[in-house]
Amino acid sequence: MSTDTIQGNKSRLTVRDGIAHFEMTDPGTRNAFTQPLKDDYARLVTLVGQRADIRALVISGSPGAFCAGGDLKSLAARRDEHGRPVREVESIRARLRDSHAWFEGLFNLEVPVIAAVDGAAFGAGFSLALAADYILATPRSSFCMAFNRIGAIPDLAALYMLPRMIGLRAAKDILMSARVIDASEAMRLGLVHSLHAPEALLDTARAMAARFAQGSAEALALTK
């Protein structure tokens, strides 16, 4: 049994027995979407789409921190010559287009995708989890569409995905209130497939991925 390991800027990708495991490895930022991590995701989507031997994908963060969402420190650091925050509309649109390019590819991957969430999945990190076919989580996980707290509009297709998963009224509550959803409420809403102890989360996600890897790749792709 061979194992391929690809070290990214802020991640590590391991492929073994038909299962790809993409692990975000930037706990200092709680795996915020810095440009290096976005670049890693773009490469991941291309690689998984090209390799017929990859039959399922598991995405995880650092222990206790799945993904904090956008890199707010980087955005706040953008200043003009007078020290005022730079909010160039075209620059923002360009960044969103770049992110949506790889995100759409991730959402449309023709293999089952499992998000193993331990800790906070906030903002775009919540959107990332929603893009998976299954969310497995730990009791210490939490979810928050935090965009309204900073006067931003939910991105990475959150406005499209969340209402289709839990209904329009429940989605409006989460999106407009920007409140934190704990793991038990996420289960009740149907966001989370199952809860597991932190030490068992990845083994459970891999076991689920292994079951998918035994089926027909074509049937799974068409079903998805």
Side-chain angles (χ1 to χ4, degrees):
M1 293 183 290
S2 62
T3 301
D4 296 337
T5 301
I6 301 171
Q7 190 66 46
N9 299 305
K10 298 291 182 179
S11 68
R12 180 170 50 251
L13 175 64
T14 305
V15 181
R16 180 183 175 89
D17 296 336
I19 300 168
H21 176 203
F22 183 83
E23 178 186 7
M24 295 174 279
T25 58
D26 191 15
T29 69
R30 295 192 302 158
N31 300 311
F33 277 124
T34 59
Q35 190 58 52
L37 181 57
K38 292 178 183 178
D39 293 341
D40 287 352
Y41 268 104
R43 284 189 289 270
L44 166 72
V45 169
T46 299
L47 183 143
V48 174
Q50 292 176 342
R51 286 186 53 167
D53 62 314
I54 293 178
R55 303 289 303 281
L57 170 64
V58 175
I59 296 174
S60 70
S62 311
F66 180 69
C67 179
D71 181 17
L72 299 183
K73 288 185 178 179
S74 174
L75 292 176
R78 294 171 57 83
R79 304 274 171 170
D80 63 17
E81 65 272 18
H82 304 292
R84 295 175 300 210
V86 174
R87 295 186 175 91
E88 302 161 335
V89 174
E90 286 308 315
S91 176
I92 293 171
R93 284 177 174 170
R95 289 199 302 274
L96 286 174
R97 281 194 296 267
D98 289 343
S99 294
H100 281 145
W102 64 257
F103 189 82
E104 183 178 4
L106 176 66
F107 184 77
N108 289 320
L109 282 177
E110 294 192 345
V111 299
V113 179
I114 302 166
V117 178
D118 182 28
F122 277 29
F126 192 173
S127 302
L128 174 66
L130 292 176
D133 300 298
Y134 297 89
I135 301 175
L136 307 186
T138 67
R140 64 185 180 185
S141 298
S142 57
F143 303 82
C144 180
M145 284 294 173
F147 300 94
N148 200 38
R149 298 183 182 186
I150 60 170
I153 296 173
D155 60 9
L156 295 188
L159 295 174
Y160 173 85
M161 296 185 294
L162 190 60
R164 284 162 175 77
M165 292 188 69
I166 64 173
L168 183 59
R169 292 189 182 277
K172 281 184 176 180
D173 171 40
I174 292 172
L175 290 162
M176 297 171 72
S177 70
R179 65 185 181 87
V180 176
I181 309 299
D182 64 20
S184 60
E185 183 175 4
M187 277 287 295
R188 291 197 302 272
L189 288 169
L191 288 168
V192 170
H193 178 71
S194 54
L195 292 178
H196 307 275
E199 62 272 17
L201 179 64
L202 282 178
D203 284 344
T204 305
R206 291 190 187 101
M208 174 182 272
R211 291 197 296 273
F212 288 126
Q214 300 305 311
S216 164
E218 292 78 10
L220 278 174
L222 290 170
T223 300
K224 181 172 175 175

